[in-house]
Amino acid sequence: MLILRESYKSQLSLRETVRAIKLIKDTFERNLSKALNLERVSAPLFVDKSSGLNDDLSGIERAVTFDVKNIPGCEAVIVHSLAKWKRMALSEYDFSCGEGLYTDMNAIRRDDELDNTHSIYVDQWDWEKIIKREERTLEYLEETVKKIVGVFISTLDKVKSEFPKVDTKLCSDVYFISAEELLQMYPALPAKEREREITKKYKTVFLTKIGGNLSNGTRHDGRAPDYDDWSLNGDLLFYNEILEDAFEVSSMGIRVDEKSMDEQLNFTGHNERRNYEYHKNILEGKLPLTIGGGIGQSRVCMLLLDKLHIGEVQSSLWSDEMRQKCKENGIFLL
């Protein structure tokens, strides 16, 4: 559903917006690398379907697939994200504990509903870092989240110094709450409305423990069973004043170890995945223990520049009807 605001007007001109996007991406990437000790690496746009490395997201999204002329029998899939690939890369590239990598990840999510915050084109910083087993705790996860929020704040400060017309405000204090605690707080509301209420109250929220069943028998949101440990993951949300809603900028978490992967594969009934190399390596303890996530680049730009529509900060495909409505309401889609 397209959200429109009669009073909406971009704070920046089109050319200022383009320059601000470049500044945000350069600054955020540099600050994230420093805050989490990450090194940039090149990443694939597509992988072999039989590898099991593509991210299944909630498990129902269709990947874009194609054959490869010179590799008979190969069915390539455009990645949804690089959640699994990054962990393999950390091992193959010989990273050490406390070190990590990040990539510029581009993807096509053909089944996303097109609206103010969703596009079929996805651009994000995918990152992954090796940790010790004793660091597989909520406390370590929360400290990492605070560092990432600090990157948002420092990047926004840089944008404001270069573009004084930008008056976006972000709260640097993070409120941590689990999906079950949020359900108990707002038992009569659907999941997304619960997110709206909690972020409206606390502005910057990290919602933890997403994936398993809640006490009412539902799941707050779908999660694939083979990358995040559902007891040690979460979503970073800011309250978006223009959209008047919770605004997710990152899904992240401490990754599955052999025990949590075994439990989550059993829970979802995806035990056939145990035959993939990636899954075997985790179940046999051959891959490093990690924490990681994705941070939406266009989402970051949209948030920091107070844009009403994600198409104002990225080029993608939109229906003729949406383009016309945006044009009539002063929203310029790239």
Side-chain angles (χ1 to χ4, degrees), residues 31-67:
N31 292 353
L32 180 69
S33 174
K34 183 177 180 180
L36 299 184
N37 192 28
L38 307 176
E39 183 176 331
R40 189 185 185 283
V41 301
S42 296
L45 174 61
F46 40 81
V47 295
D48 188 332
K49 184 177 182 179
S50 65
S51 70
L53 286 176
N54 197 18
D55 179 0
D56 296 293
L57 302 178
S58 63
I60 61 173
E61 293 84 357
R62 299 172 302 158
V64 177
T65 65
F66 59 95
D67 63 341

Side-chain angles (χ1 to χ4, degrees), residues 11 24 28 116-117 149 152-153 156 159-160 166-171 203-204 236-243 245-250 295-310 313:
Q11 297 175 357
I24 288 171
F28 195 98
N116 292 68
T117 61
V149 170
F152 274 87
I153 300 301
L156 178 58
V159 172
K160 286 183 172 182
V166 174
D167 63 359
T168 307
K169 297 176 179 62
L170 295 181
C171 175
K203 307 305 179 186
T204 303
L236 177 58
L237 311 168
F238 288 97
Y239 186 68
N240 190 307
E241 299 288 348
I242 294 180
L243 292 172
D245 202 356
F247 190 77
E248 180 191 330
V249 293
S250 178
I295 303 171
Q297 295 183 16
S298 292
R299 288 282 183 98
V300 172
C301 294
M302 186 180 171
L303 178 69
L304 299 190
L305 299 179
D306 268 343
K307 297 292 189 179
L308 183 58
H309 196 288
I310 197 167
V313 294

Side-chain angles (χ1 to χ4, degrees), residues 30-221:
R30 181 171 59 251
N31 292 353
L32 180 69
S33 174
K34 183 177 180 180
L36 299 184
N37 192 28
L38 307 176
E39 183 176 331
R40 189 185 185 283
V41 301
S42 296
L45 174 61
F46 40 81
V47 295
D48 188 332
K49 184 177 182 179
S50 65
S51 70
L53 286 176
N54 197 18
D55 179 0
D56 296 293
L57 302 178
S58 63
I60 61 173
E61 293 84 357
R62 299 172 302 158
V64 177
T65 65
F66 59 95
D67 63 341
V68 181
K69 179 180 178 180
N70 288 328
I71 310 179
C74 174
E75 185 177 13
V77 293
I78 294 180
V79 297
H80 281 142
S81 86
L82 297 169
K84 301 170 189 173
W85 178 88
K86 293 176 296 180
R87 193 166 176 181
M88 297 279 281
L90 283 171
S91 176
E92 292 173 359
Y93 294 2
D94 200 26
F95 279 77
S96 300
C97 190
E99 298 177 334
L101 59 81
Y102 74 95
T103 72
D104 277 313
M105 195 284 298
N106 295 287
I108 298 173
R109 296 183 182 172
R110 61 194 290 189
D111 290 330
D112 272 11
E113 295 292 332
L114 304 184
D115 56 25
N116 292 68
T117 61
H118 292 89
S119 163
I120 63 170
Y121 170 63
V122 178
D123 56 341
Q124 65 184 34
W125 291 287
D126 255 333
W127 65 273
E128 198 84 8
K129 181 178 180 179
I130 299 177
I131 60 175
K132 303 173 184 176
R133 186 169 291 276
E134 57 265 31
E135 291 174 324
R136 300 187 76 258
T137 64
L138 277 174
E139 290 75 18
Y140 187 87
L141 176 63
E142 291 178 1
E143 286 303 312
T144 303
V145 170
K146 291 175 184 177
K147 291 178 181 179
I148 292 173
V149 170
V151 174
F152 274 87
I153 300 301
S154 63
T155 303
L156 178 58
D157 289 343
K158 179 66 173 178
V159 172
K160 286 183 172 182
S161 70
E162 302 258 348
F163 298 92
K165 287 187 286 186
V166 174
D167 63 359
T168 307
K169 297 176 179 62
L170 295 181
C171 175
S172 60
D173 294 327
V174 189
Y175 183 76
F176 294 92
I177 185 170
S178 71
E180 177 63 34
E181 290 168 336
L182 186 61
L183 172 64
Q184 297 304 319
M185 189 177 292
Y186 303 107
L189 296 180
K192 291 305 176 184
E193 292 185 22
R194 296 197 292 268
E195 291 183 3
R196 180 188 303 124
E197 291 303 312
I198 198 68
T199 52
K200 185 176 181 180
K201 183 175 182 180
Y202 291 103
K203 307 305 179 186
T204 303
V205 173
F206 190 73
L207 180 63
T208 65
K209 300 184 179 181
I210 299 173
N213 281 346
L214 302 177
S215 59
N216 65 354
T218 68
R219 301 171 74 183
H220 181 86
D221 198 4

Side-chain angles (χ1 to χ4, degrees), residues 272-321:
E272 77 285 352
R273 298 186 187 182
R274 297 172 186 269
N275 295 318
Y276 290 133
E277 180 186 3
Y278 164 81
H279 299 72
K280 285 181 179 178
N281 285 338
I282 290 178
L283 291 168
E284 295 172 7
K286 294 180 179 178
L287 289 182
L289 300 173
T290 63
I291 182 173
I295 303 171
Q297 295 183 16
S298 292
R299 288 282 183 98
V300 172
C301 294
M302 186 180 171
L303 178 69
L304 299 190
L305 299 179
D306 268 343
K307 297 292 189 179
L308 183 58
H309 196 288
I310 197 167
E312 295 179 89
V313 294
Q314 65 157 239
S315 295
S316 187
L317 289 177
W318 311 100
S319 68
D320 291 341
E321 180 184 8

